[in-house]
Amino acid sequence: MTTTTTPRVYVGTYAKYNAGSIEGAWIDLEDHDAETFREACLALHKDEHDPELMFQDFEGFPRAFYGESYLAPRLWDWLALDEQDRDLWTVYVEDVSQDADLDAARDAFLGIYDSPRDWAEEWLDQDPGFHAIPDRLKAFFDFDAYAREAEHDGLTFVEHEGNTYVFSR
């Protein structure tokens, strides 16, 4: 994913929204843990006795971790990861399994390729049976069709920012 957008949330309140205002502010999540984030939100809306927080927008993290009235606890786990693991988990929850954790994403992950065809060529290059085919016949092999068939047999190809992530199901 190579996140270039800082993970952040626009925090308002339901009371202000219901009164016709979207007054609030963006809060960068990388500056906080769950507790200090809540404290920052309450300080932002200290003009209300018991503010009911409303997360009106978000950016820089997976949609699966966002809700208008909550942020999923696993968001804080995601924030603690390095960029490579963030990318992997983001692609997996956005395109394969929204409820998955990082371990499930890692278990299913087979690699990053330029295309499904690139995966098929590399996969078959490791297959001794494929090497038994004479080179003059290999030129007729349809790697794209092989990759499509692999999807029917349990692989998932996810195109993300110019790369193809490959996962088993």
Side-chain angles (χ1 to χ4, degrees):
M1 181 169 98
T2 313
T3 305
T4 56
T5 302
T6 300
R8 62 189 193 147
V9 177
Y10 189 86
V11 182
T13 67
Y14 283 96
K16 287 181 175 85
Y17 182 80
N18 290 335
S21 171
I22 59 168
E23 180 185 341
W26 284 101
I27 296 180
D28 291 346
L29 298 177
E30 289 185 333
D31 297 338
H32 300 282
D33 60 22
E35 183 60 34
T36 62
F37 171 72
R38 179 157 174 71
E39 291 169 4
C41 292
L42 295 176
L44 176 64
H45 294 290
K46 64 184 174 212
D47 59 325
E48 293 183 33
H49 169 65
D50 186 19
E52 186 179 3
L53 300 174
M54 181 180 191
F55 306 124
Q56 296 167 312
D57 201 0
F58 76 101
E59 60 185 21
F61 63 91
R63 174 170 283 290
F65 301 159
Y66 165 80
E68 180 181 281
S69 60
Y70 72 93
L71 297 177
R74 61 194 178 140
L75 170 61
W76 306 106
D77 296 332
W78 180 87
L79 287 164
L81 298 173
D82 63 28
E83 186 176 340
Q84 184 176 2
D85 280 340
R86 277 188 186 182
D87 287 349
L88 175 63
W89 198 7
T90 297
V91 170
Y92 198 73
V93 299
E94 288 182 346
D95 295 299
V96 180
S97 177
Q98 186 175 13
D99 299 322
D101 62 16
L102 178 60
D103 288 335
R106 284 179 177 154
D107 289 346
F109 182 62
L110 299 177
I112 300 173
Y113 299 87
D114 291 333
S115 66
R117 178 191 180 93
D118 183 46
W119 167 84
E121 289 175 355
E122 185 174 312
W123 177 259
L124 288 170
D125 189 50
Q126 299 171 22
D127 184 341
F130 188 73
H131 286 288
I133 298 171
D135 287 342
R136 69 183 189 287
L137 296 177
K138 285 181 190 173
F140 296 100
F141 192 84
D142 189 340
F143 291 99
D144 294 313
Y146 185 84
R148 285 191 302 276
E149 186 63 28
E151 281 189 290
H152 294 293
D153 290 340
L155 292 189
T156 300
F157 296 101
V158 177
E159 300 298 322
H160 183 77
E161 295 187 356
N163 293 307
T164 299
Y165 285 69
V166 182
F167 297 98
S168 62
R169 285 187 237 148

